[in-house]
Amino acid sequence: MKTVLYTRIFIWTPIIFIGYFISAQIGFKIAFLNSQVSPVWPPEGVGLASLLLLGPVAIPGIYLGATLANFFNNPHLPTAFIIGIGNTLSSYINYRIIRGVTEKSDPIYSTKDLIYFLSIGTIPGSLVSTVLGVTSLWYWDFLTSELYFNVFFTWFSGEMLGFLIVAPECTRTSFTVLSQYILYIKMH
């Protein structure tokens, strides 16, 4: 059983890392208050969709993608490390909440599940990531005290929009591709 788990982690970690890293580069391109604070943070949607599809096996790919993307954008290891933890916790907390209240992998499966996703399924994780990320930037002087709350609200809204826009699309696309693949295998 452990061999299967390790194999899944070995296979999926680089795939998730690449998806997270590329989507982070897109997010960094639209940052305006600080080079690490984007009004839409697509990687959070990638992270949540990965967890919804694969479960905790996705955690190493999310963490590596978040940490290295932030390190390459701002080569300061302590902030990259803490932001990586915050981004990973953000996706994981929201994943646990969504799975706990919907019991499904697709957060937009029904109207009730969609309401849960839009309300309690995105806010807690976004808040954790925002507090860790913005505070680490402030602590290591990448952010002034005067800008703290402006950056805080931009970071929080970027996290939320990443979850709300990207996660459902990634999840739906993945389910479509997977079902087409299964259909193809059955026919051949």
Side-chain angles (χ1 to χ4, degrees):
M1 192 69 176
K2 283 187 177 183
T3 304
V4 172
L5 176 65
Y6 293 140
T7 302
R8 289 182 68 207
I9 291 171
F10 181 75
I11 291 169
W12 286 107
T13 296
I15 294 168
I16 295 166
F17 164 76
I18 291 167
Y20 198 103
F21 191 88
I22 290 170
S23 62
Q25 299 315 305
I26 294 167
F28 289 138
K29 295 290 183 201
I30 57 176
F32 60 90
L33 282 176
N34 179 291
S35 68
Q36 289 181 268
V37 183
S38 175
V40 178
W41 189 240
E44 288 295 21
V46 171
L48 181 58
S50 299
L51 284 164
L52 289 169
L53 294 167
L54 301 168
V57 165
I59 291 172
I62 296 167
Y63 177 72
L64 288 173
T67 302
L68 290 176
N70 280 288
F71 182 76
F72 281 107
N73 188 55
N74 177 8
H76 185 255
L77 194 54
T79 57
F81 178 73
I82 291 172
I83 292 170
I85 290 171
N87 287 155
T88 305
L89 279 174
S90 178
S91 293
Y92 186 73
I93 289 167
N94 289 343
Y95 158 75
R96 295 302 302 169
I97 291 169
I98 291 167
R99 291 296 299 215
V101 297
T102 67
E103 299 177 4
K104 294 177 183 64
S105 295
D106 186 354
I108 55 175
Y109 180 78
S110 68
T111 304
K112 181 181 94 174
D113 293 345
L114 180 61
I115 291 169
Y116 285 138
F117 172 69
L118 294 174
S119 58
I120 63 172
T122 55
I123 295 171
S126 297
L127 188 60
V128 167
S129 178
T130 303
V131 168
L132 288 173
V134 176
T135 303
S136 71
L137 291 175
W138 170 79
Y139 182 79
W140 276 288
D141 293 326
F142 293 107
L143 180 65
T144 64
S145 297
E146 293 79 28
L147 285 177
Y148 185 91
F149 286 105
N150 287 341
V151 172
F152 186 93
F153 291 116
T154 302
W155 189 303
F156 181 76
S157 67
E159 294 270 328
M160 293 285 297
L161 289 172
F163 284 126
L164 296 173
I165 295 169
V166 179
E169 189 59 38
C170 285
T171 304
R172 184 176 52 223
T173 302
S174 298
F175 281 128
T176 302
V177 169
L178 184 60
S179 65
Q180 293 297 318
Y181 177 71
I182 291 169
L183 182 63
Y184 173 80
I185 288 179
K186 286 182 179 180
M187 294 179 76
H188 291 84

